[in-house]
């Protein structure tokens, strides 16, 4: 017991901040603080907007950006990652809010945080590299569409209709607007989105989101526009931490949503960290430590009324572009947002919801990388299919199902491609020192097959059909040195093929079995079957000589002279 505890503690200790992190913070603090301030300005309207979209309110988004952003910055595995509320998480939270209410979402966030810490201790972060690019692109496209549709009610200035399906809610909002159209809210949303999109092309370094929001708020206040409904009152500070929302009796029913939230937080955070690595030289994140940091962030955020958090790709990209060099920048971003909460809550409460909808609409548009989508669609038909299926599933179902579907289809198509590499080729016997007539006599009764590539469940049955259709011969030699991998299904099929050939009176010999294949062959009894009466040989010449001896004993061939030893290449021998 003590040994197991020591191993777990050693893993946890490896996930904690190290001396190198402190050294990185001291490298260029002025540059990091400036980057943190810039990111905070960009993050403010996003935190407010995603909090509103989740259903828990703008204050929940701010609490998440401050608490989760600070903890993930300190304990996360990326020096440049910025964490907080995101659109992808909002997509998952909306149906949870509709079914379980606010307390249910807070409980789900807490449970998801615990699950993420568990994944970090189990070192599950490394498996992120196996998510195919078409799944990621389709996932991102679907999220962008969902975020855009979620903004329809606020952009149209109508109350959010009932429902947890974004398509249904957007349709009902559009129908309600059509009954009594008021173009004021749309004007604010479109103007803010246009300023952000055009401004980003004109001056990429200027945070036009906050500029547009401030301008929209000023116009709404000066013109006394009633249709521009504001956020509403915000608390001047973070609430005291509390577990009053936790109902132990509800944990069982909330486990499935918590798994979905944890899976999404892991996926998006590790994707965002990978994006940060790709934008820099020499920066590499620790995936397990990143999961650990996100886990702690999600355990703490609900205590302050915050929604679940993940690494935020857009904010992380801004952090990198503005020159951040260490995790001090992400920590500074959280501190600046905390100062805004304390000092400027009355001003922030006057921001029109339509302006925030415009910010998120522009964010959704900027998430769609047309060039990447076009390249992925042109790569192969399989990649295009995976991308489209993942995007549609994200829009019609939810994000976790979308990733599962995308991974399932990608896995099936990959297995199909790998299975096509498996071949069963008839190869000529080496003549050795036999005469042409003697060699022809041997070839009439012995056939050699070389198995190339993987012999596993996806290709095994085709192999069985090809092998058992061999013509009438006395001996079959299986050359197995080129079998790259073998599973239990492949071994069982090989055993079945040998037994079927033997029932037809055909002797089966094998050569070149690799050490790594012996265990799986032995586990299903195939190795014992091949070894029966010495029918397994290290090299192909030995198997040919054994076949010749068998035919001579059976009276099929006259005694032929044994070939003199020759020098063979390794592959020729096997």
């Amino acid at each position: 017991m003590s040994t197991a505890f020591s191993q777990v503690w050693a893993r946890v200790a490896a996930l904690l901040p190290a001396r190198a992190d402190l050294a990185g913070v001291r490298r260029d603090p002025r540059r990091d603080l400036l980057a943190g301030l810039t990111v905070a300005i960009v993050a403010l309207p996003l935190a407010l907007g995603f909090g509103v979209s989740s259903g828990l309110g703008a204050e929940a988004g701010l609490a998440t950006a401050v608490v989760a952003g600070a903890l993930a910055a300190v304990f996360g595995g990326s020096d440049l990652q910025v964490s907080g509320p995101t659109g992808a998480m909002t997509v998952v939270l909306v149906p949870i809010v509709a079914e379980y209410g606010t307390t249910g979402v807070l409980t789900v966030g807490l449970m998801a945080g615990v699950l993420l810490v568990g994944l970090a201790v189990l070192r599950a972060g490394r498996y992120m590299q196996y998510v195919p690019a078409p799944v990621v692109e389709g996932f991102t496209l679907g999220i962008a569409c969902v975020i855009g549709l979620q903004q329809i009610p606020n952009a149209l200035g109508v109350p959010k209709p009932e429902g947890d399906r974004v398509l249904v809610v957007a349709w009902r909002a559009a129908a309600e607007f059509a009954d009594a159209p008021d173009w004021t809210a749309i004007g604010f949303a479109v103007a803010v989105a246009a300023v952000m999109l055009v401004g980003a092309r004109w001056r990429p370094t200027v945070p036009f989101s906050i500029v547009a929001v401030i301008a929209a708020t000023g116009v709404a206040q000066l013109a006394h526009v009633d249709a521009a409904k504001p956020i509403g009152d915000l608390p001047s500070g973070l609430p005291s931490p509390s577990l009053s929302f936790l109902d132990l009796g509800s944990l069982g029913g909330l486990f499935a949503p918590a798994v979905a939230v944890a899976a999404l937080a892991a996926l998006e955070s590790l994707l965002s960290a990978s994006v940060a690595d790709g934008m820099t030289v020499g920066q590499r994140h620790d995936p397990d430590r990143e999961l650990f940091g996100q886990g702690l962030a999600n355990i703490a955020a609900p205590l302050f009324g915050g929604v679940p958090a993940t690494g935020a790709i857009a904010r992380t990209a801004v952090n990198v572009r503005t020159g951040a060099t260490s995790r001090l920048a992400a920590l500074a971003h959280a501190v600046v947002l905390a100062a805004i909460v304390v000092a400027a809550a009355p001003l922030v409460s006057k921001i029109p919801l339509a302006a925030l909808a415009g910010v998120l609409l522009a964010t959704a548009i900027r998430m769609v990388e047309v060039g990447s989508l076009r390249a992925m669609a042109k790569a192969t038909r399989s990649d295009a299919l995976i991308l489209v299926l993942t995007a549609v599933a994200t829009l019609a179902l939810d994000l976790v199902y979308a990733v599962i579907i995308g991974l399932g289809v990608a896995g099936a198509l990959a297995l199909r491609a790998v299975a096509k590499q498996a071949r069963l080729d008839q190869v000529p016997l080496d003549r050795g020192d036999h005469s042409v007539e003697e060699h022809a006599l041997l070839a009439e009764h012995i056939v050699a097959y070389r198995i190339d590539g993987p012999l596993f469940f996806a290709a095994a049955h085709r192999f069985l059909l090809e092998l058992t259709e061999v013509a009438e011969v006395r001996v079959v030699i299986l050359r197995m040195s080129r079998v790259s991998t073998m599973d239990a299904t492949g071994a069982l099929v090989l055993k079945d093929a040998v037994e079927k050939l033997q029932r037809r009176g055909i002797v089966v010999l094998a050569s070149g079995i690799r050490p790594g294949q012996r265990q799986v062959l032995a586990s299903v009894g195939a190795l014992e079957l091949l070894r029966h009466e010495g029918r397994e040989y290290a090299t192909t010449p030995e198997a040919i000589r054994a076949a010749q001896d068998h035919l001579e004993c059976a009276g099929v061939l006259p005694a032929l002279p044994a070939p003199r030893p020759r020098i063979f290449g390794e592959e020729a021998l096997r």
Side-chain angles (χ1 to χ4, degrees):
M1 177 69 102
S2 60
T3 303
F5 177 79
S6 299
Q7 291 176 344
V8 172
W9 173 246
R11 290 189 179 184
V12 172
L15 298 171
L16 296 175
R19 186 172 298 176
D21 299 322
L22 183 60
V25 167
R26 292 173 175 172
R27 190 179 305 123
D28 196 346
R30 181 179 299 179
R31 192 172 181 180
D32 286 330
L33 292 173
L34 180 60
L37 175 62
T38 305
V39 175
I41 293 172
V42 173
L44 176 61
L46 293 174
L48 295 169
F50 289 135
V52 171
S53 295
S54 70
L56 270 69
E59 61 273 19
L62 282 174
T64 302
V66 173
V67 177
L71 284 173
V74 174
F75 293 97
S78 171
D79 289 342
L80 304 177
Q81 176 96 287
V82 178
S83 300
T86 63
M89 187 59 73
T90 300
V91 174
V92 173
L93 295 180
V94 169
I96 297 176
V97 173
E99 186 170 355
Y100 301 104
T102 300
T103 58
V105 171
L106 298 179
T107 303
V108 163
L110 181 65
M111 294 171 67
V114 174
L115 290 173
L116 286 169
V117 171
L119 290 174
V121 173
L122 293 173
R123 298 177 180 173
R126 73 192 79 173
Y127 297 109
M128 177 60 211
Q129 61 184 318
Y130 297 115
V131 178
V135 174
V136 175
E137 293 292 343
F139 177 78
T140 305
L141 175 60
I143 289 172
C145 294
V146 173
I147 293 173
L149 290 170
Q150 282 180 339
Q151 309 317 309
I152 297 300
N154 285 336
L156 297 178
V158 300
K160 183 180 178 181
E162 294 293 327
D164 58 355
R165 293 294 179 188
V166 66
L167 287 169
V168 175
V169 171
W171 176 261
R172 290 175 178 171
E176 186 172 344
F177 174 80
D179 291 338
D182 185 336
W183 300 95
T184 305
I186 293 181
F188 276 99
V190 171
V192 170
V195 169
M196 287 182 61
L197 295 174
V198 175
R201 290 181 174 274
W202 177 50
R203 289 284 190 274
T205 58
V206 177
F208 280 99
S209 58
I210 196 70
V211 172
V213 167
I214 291 174
T217 305
V219 170
Q221 293 299 308
L222 293 174
H224 302 289
V225 180
D226 295 332
K229 183 181 177 182
I231 292 174
D233 293 337
L234 292 175
S236 297
L238 295 176
S240 300
S242 172
L243 276 172
S244 59
F245 62 85
L246 187 61
D247 179 9
L248 296 179
S250 67
L251 296 184
L254 293 173
F255 182 73
V259 170
V261 169
L264 177 60
L267 177 66
E268 189 172 13
S269 297
L270 294 178
L271 279 176
S272 178
S274 297
V275 169
D277 290 347
M279 296 177 67
T280 58
V281 177
Q283 291 282 356
R284 287 294 177 267
H285 73 283
D286 182 334
D288 296 319
R289 190 175 166 191
E290 182 61 31
L291 292 180
F292 183 73
Q294 294 297 332
L296 294 182
N298 279 287
I299 289 173
L303 305 182
F304 295 88
V307 296
T310 74
I313 295 177
R315 275 155 276 179
T316 298
V318 171
N319 194 39
V320 175
R321 291 192 189 109
T322 49
T325 62
S326 75
R327 56 190 68 231
L328 177 61
L331 183 60
H333 132 273
V335 173
V336 170
L337 288 177
I340 293 173
V341 170
V342 173
L347 296 176
V348 173
S349 67
K350 299 182 184 299
I351 296 175
L353 289 173
L356 292 182
V359 171
L360 299 186
L361 284 171
T363 301
I365 293 171
R366 289 164 65 174
M367 285 177 66
V368 180
E369 296 286 347
V370 178
S372 297
L373 293 176
R374 186 181 294 116
M376 203 66 62
K378 288 181 177 180
T380 66
R381 285 189 294 180
S382 296
D383 290 333
L385 175 63
I386 294 167
L387 188 152
V388 171
L389 280 178
T390 306
V392 171
T394 301
L395 191 59
L397 302 173
D398 64 44
L399 302 189
V400 176
Y401 280 127
V403 172
I404 292 173
I405 291 171
L407 290 176
V409 174
L413 293 174
L415 285 175
R416 178 187 172 196
V418 171
K420 287 182 177 180
Q421 297 176 8
R423 297 196 313 274
L424 183 70
D425 298 327
Q426 184 175 347
V427 292
L429 299 176
D430 187 89
R431 281 190 57 185
D433 287 330
H434 293 298
S435 67
V436 175
E437 292 78 8
E438 291 168 346
H439 181 72
L441 189 59
L442 283 173
E444 286 181 8
H445 301 283
I446 305 172
V447 62
Y449 285 98
R450 183 175 59 216
I451 307 172
D452 281 341
L455 184 57
F456 71 130
F457 69 93
H461 293 288
R462 177 167 57 85
F463 163 82
L464 173 64
L465 291 175
E466 292 181 15
L467 185 57
T468 53
E469 289 176 356
V470 64
E472 291 297 331
V473 294
R474 294 299 184 98
V475 181
V476 168
I477 298 175
L478 298 178
R479 299 176 61 176
M480 301 182 61
S481 63
R482 292 191 181 182
V483 176
S484 57
T485 186
M486 181 186 298
D487 66 357
T489 304
L492 282 170
V493 166
L494 180 64
K495 178 184 177 184
D496 191 19
V498 171
E499 289 175 339
K500 287 184 176 181
L501 291 172
Q502 287 180 341
R503 285 197 293 268
R504 291 170 51 191
I506 299 174
V507 174
V508 181
L509 310 178
S511 69
I513 298 177
R514 295 183 176 182
Q517 300 162 4
R518 293 184 177 278
Q519 182 177 352
V520 66
L521 288 169
S523 67
V524 299
L527 189 61
E528 181 181 355
L529 180 65
L530 289 170
R531 283 177 170 175
H532 179 61
E533 297 181 358
R535 291 175 179 174
E536 189 243 319
Y537 300 90
T539 65
T540 300
E542 293 176 1
I544 295 173
R545 181 58 192 170
Q548 178 183 332
D549 292 343
H550 169 76
L551 294 175
E552 289 173 1
C553 292
V556 177
L557 292 179
L560 298 175
R564 291 191 299 273
R566 302 180 64 202
I567 303 299
F568 290 88
E570 182 180 353
E571 190 54 48
L573 284 169
R574 296 183 177 179

